[in-house]
Amino acid sequence: MIQAVKVSLEVLNDRLDPYDHLEEILDKINRWEPKVNAYAYVENMGKLKEDLGRQLKRKGRLSGVIVAVKDNISTSWMPTTAASRMLSGYIPPYNATVIEKLLYEGAVIIGKTNMDEFAMGSTSENTPYGPVHNPWCLDCTAGGSSGGSGAVLAYGGADLALGSDTGGSVRLPAAYTGTVALKPTYGTVSRYGLIPYANSLEQISPMARTVKDLALLYNTIKGDDPRDSTTLGVEQEYPIDRVDPGKTRIAVIRELMDGVDEGILKIFWNTISLLESHGFTIDMVSIKSLRYSLPAYYVIAMAEASSNLARYDGVIHGNRVKECRGYWDCAAKARGEYFGVEVKTRILMGAYVLMEGYSREYYVKATKLRRLIRDSLAKLFKDYQAIISPVSPILPPKLGEKLEDPVKMYTMDVMTVTANLAGIPALVQPAGIISGFPIGIQWMGPVFSESRLFGLASIVEDEVGVITPLQ
Ligand code: GLN
């Protein structure tokens, strides 16, 4: 086993007794969960202690490390519901590949985190478990859809966490909770065992409190998987690169700066000055095609969602209603009863953009825009080694505020969806605090540039410091 990344987790450095450490985490969960509601399920203490004893013997790169997992990633001994009543009570017959990898390396899976139903949302409010509250501001959203994973890390309810990112779902929560997250290059992490939303866009994604921990988790879960034909046969480690400022040109994209909150801008430009003082060259450039990222993303995501979710018929897949007769009656009743409003909307919209007669207008056009966006970024990366941008145009909204108007919620993703359309890696980290809110910045680079992004983020982290867990 290669220990590619120096570990910052104290439990791994033997500075903490692993059993005390577990108890401390459970203590924090007891203290914070009534206010934050970030876990959908927490394993009981007895089972966790057993797991810990067994996992410590493995001596893997995560031995004794406590990991929280988003509720749409399959675990064979814990419920996996994707926060949908359609799947309540479901315990998968197998583990996701990423779970197998975590267990192999000695991790202890503490529980499943709350999220938007089927990962559709930006606020972690579309959930039958009740909304996730942001530990920094209890009546604000923690972002979504992996808001539970972000919130748990922010208050110290786990060492590391997994989320999934289809259009920003680990990055928005990271920005809103003062944690770090990586949406990896498409195809570097297996999706086997991830309950699908939009296959061509999403990746299971690591979340942590420090860049080192993030790199460690990414290196644990990445890799080719014969069970997922979209994984790439590239077996390499992604250590944290030492980035040479003299050889690194960074682009700020004008189209990703529109309508951004003043406080967020302040932190963003402070970060730019900091990087300039390190000797980086930073230019403002324009990529017109990025104006179409958001509409292209939502058309493609909804199209894929409608075809993915067609499997839930309440007969073969998903929960069955008590009273129904025949396949179509049972399917209609189960879907009517168990899917939430946002999920129903997306299935209908997705079916619409795929309909004969409309698909050329919408779906086919969106895929063409996607190609345009991907090509213009590839061109940019000939001259620039990375892009830096804000993560969200706004501070964490109050809970309830975005629910009335889904389009307003969709615009929260305007800076994050581009990386999913292009399949490139994107890392979010905290860069400061303003009016009591942590503010994130986003790094993007060409495919497979994770090591460089870790290196760039480390430079900022060394200056800004680590801002969670909260007390
Ligand atoms: N908010 C976006 C959506 O609802 C992204 C969600 C995600 O990344 N899973 O589609």
Side-chain angles (χ1 to χ4, degrees):
M1 190 200 342
I2 318 161
Q3 189 78 33
V5 185
K6 201 171 146 274
V7 177
S8 71
L9 291 163
E10 291 180 294
V11 61
L12 286 182
N13 289 337
D14 286 339
R15 280 207 292 270
L16 294 175
D17 174 78
Y19 288 92
D20 291 349
H21 178 57
L22 172 62
E23 287 205 5
E24 235 172 71
I25 286 181
L26 288 168
D27 230 43
K28 287 192 176 158
I29 292 176
N30 283 335
R31 223 159 13 95
W32 280 90
E33 272 306 300
K35 296 180 279 188
V36 173
N37 199 32
Y39 273 110
Y41 178 84
V42 180
E43 193 55 273
N44 72 62
M45 167 107 82
K47 167 85 167 77
L48 284 170
K49 282 194 173 155
E50 243 174 62
D51 288 353
L52 180 58
R54 197 184 55 246
Q55 292 299 75
L56 283 171
K57 290 197 195 105
R58 293 203 71 90
K59 305 248 174 297
R61 60 167 117 187
L62 291 183
S63 271
V65 171
I66 311 295
V67 184
V69 173
K70 191 176 181 180
D71 195 37
N72 60 350
I73 300 172
S74 298
T75 42
S76 66
W77 72 103
M78 281 194 254
T80 302
T81 72
S84 183
R85 293 174 62 228
M86 185 60 97
L87 290 173
S88 59
Y90 172 61
I91 299 186
Y94 61 89
N95 281 327
T97 298
V98 293
I99 298 295
E100 289 292 334
K101 288 185 182 233
L102 288 176
L103 295 177
Y104 179 79
E105 294 292 350
V108 173
I109 315 287
I110 186 165
K112 306 301 284 282
T113 56
N114 199 353
M115 56 182 280
D116 285 299
E117 183 176 7
F118 287 107
M120 298 176 187
S122 311
T123 58
S124 301
E125 290 172 291
N126 303 324
T127 152
Y129 302 113
V132 177
H133 298 246
N134 190 330
W136 288 81
C137 156
L138 289 173
D139 55 354
C140 300
T141 167
S145 62
S146 315
S149 294
V152 154
L153 288 175
Y155 76 70
D159 296 317
L160 302 170
L162 288 183
S164 65
D165 191 307
T166 315
S169 271
V170 294
R171 287 168 285 155
L172 201 54
Y176 285 176
T177 61
T179 54
V180 292
L182 170 76
K183 196 292 283 181
T185 300
Y186 187 83
T188 58
V189 178
S190 168
R191 287 182 295 110
Y192 180 74
L194 170 68
I195 294 180
Y197 159 22
N199 311 39
S200 78
L201 298 160
E202 66 204 0
Q203 287 284 275
I204 291 177
S205 303
M207 301 180 79
R209 284 186 289 262
T210 68
V211 176
K212 270 183 197 164
D213 295 354
L214 186 73
L216 173 68
L217 184 54
Y218 177 54
N219 279 293
T220 307
I221 61 171
K222 55 98 192 140
D224 189 29
D225 182 7
R227 291 188 167 117
D228 173 0
S229 59
T230 61
T231 50
L232 304 158
V234 185
E235 282 303 343
Q236 66 176 84
E237 284 283 313
Y238 298 86
I240 300 173
D241 268 1
R242 194 176 288 275
V243 182
D244 179 352
K247 292 191 184 133
T248 310
R249 289 162 67 93
I250 300 170
V252 173
I253 313 251
R254 191 163 290 129
E255 284 73 14
L256 297 180
M257 301 297 299
D258 281 347
V260 179
D261 170 272
E262 251 173 53
I264 297 177
L265 280 182
K266 187 163 175 240
I267 299 282
F268 179 77
W269 292 116
N270 282 350
T271 313
I272 297 293
S273 314
L274 184 154
L275 291 162
E276 279 172 342
S277 72
H278 276 262
F280 286 100
T281 306
I282 303 175
D283 298 331
M284 176 82 98
V285 299
S286 171
I287 305 184
K288 298 249 169 350
S289 59
L290 296 201
R291 289 204 189 126
Y292 305 110
S293 291
L294 196 66
Y297 166 80
Y298 270 99
V299 168
I300 294 170
M302 290 188 191
E304 293 187 23
S306 83
S307 107
N308 263 322
L309 269 58
R311 82 190 67 192
Y312 299 105
D313 55 8
V315 178
I316 299 167
H317 293 287
N319 289 328
R320 187 179 288 228
V321 290
K322 278 204 191 76
E323 277 173 39
C324 63
R325 292 184 61 192
Y327 181 84
W328 290 111
D329 183 47
C330 292
K333 285 184 177 148
R335 288 169 181 162
E337 176 90 13
Y338 297 138
F339 281 146
V341 175
E342 185 61 28
V343 171
K344 284 178 190 161
T345 309
R346 295 196 187 198
I347 291 172
L348 291 174
M349 297 280 288
Y352 180 81
V353 299
L354 288 173
M355 238 158 73
E356 204 182 325
Y358 291 110
S359 66
R360 284 168 76 87
E361 273 298 301
Y362 296 107
Y363 181 69
V364 175
K365 209 181 253 179
T367 57
K368 286 183 181 160
L369 284 169
R370 181 180 195 171
R371 168 56 60 92
L372 196 69
I373 289 161
R374 188 182 294 215
D375 289 350
S376 37
L377 284 170
K379 207 166 136 218
L380 177 95
F381 287 134
K382 289 198 176 118
D383 298 322
Y384 292 90
Q385 282 63 49
I387 294 171
I388 188 167
S389 78
V391 188
S392 164
I394 53 171
L395 295 171
K398 290 263 187 298
L399 287 167
E401 203 180 300
K402 297 285 160 192
L403 277 182
E404 293 134 38
D405 185 349
V407 176
K408 279 203 186 127
M409 190 186 70
Y410 301 161
T411 57
M412 290 167 75
D413 304 329
V414 66
M415 285 142 194
T416 49
V417 294
T418 296
N420 304 77
L421 289 168
I424 59 174
L427 186 154
V428 163
Q429 66 175 146
I433 299 177
I434 221 137
S435 7
F437 291 107
I439 306 293
I441 52 152
Q442 171 172 248
W443 291 101
M444 290 187 270
V447 288
F448 303 122
S449 65
E450 276 83 347
S451 284
R452 186 189 307 152
L453 302 191
F454 291 144
L456 288 163
S458 299
I459 294 173
V460 175
E461 188 179 80
D462 285 346
E463 302 267 355
V464 174
V466 175
I467 62 171
T468 58
L470 297 167
Q471 283 314 302

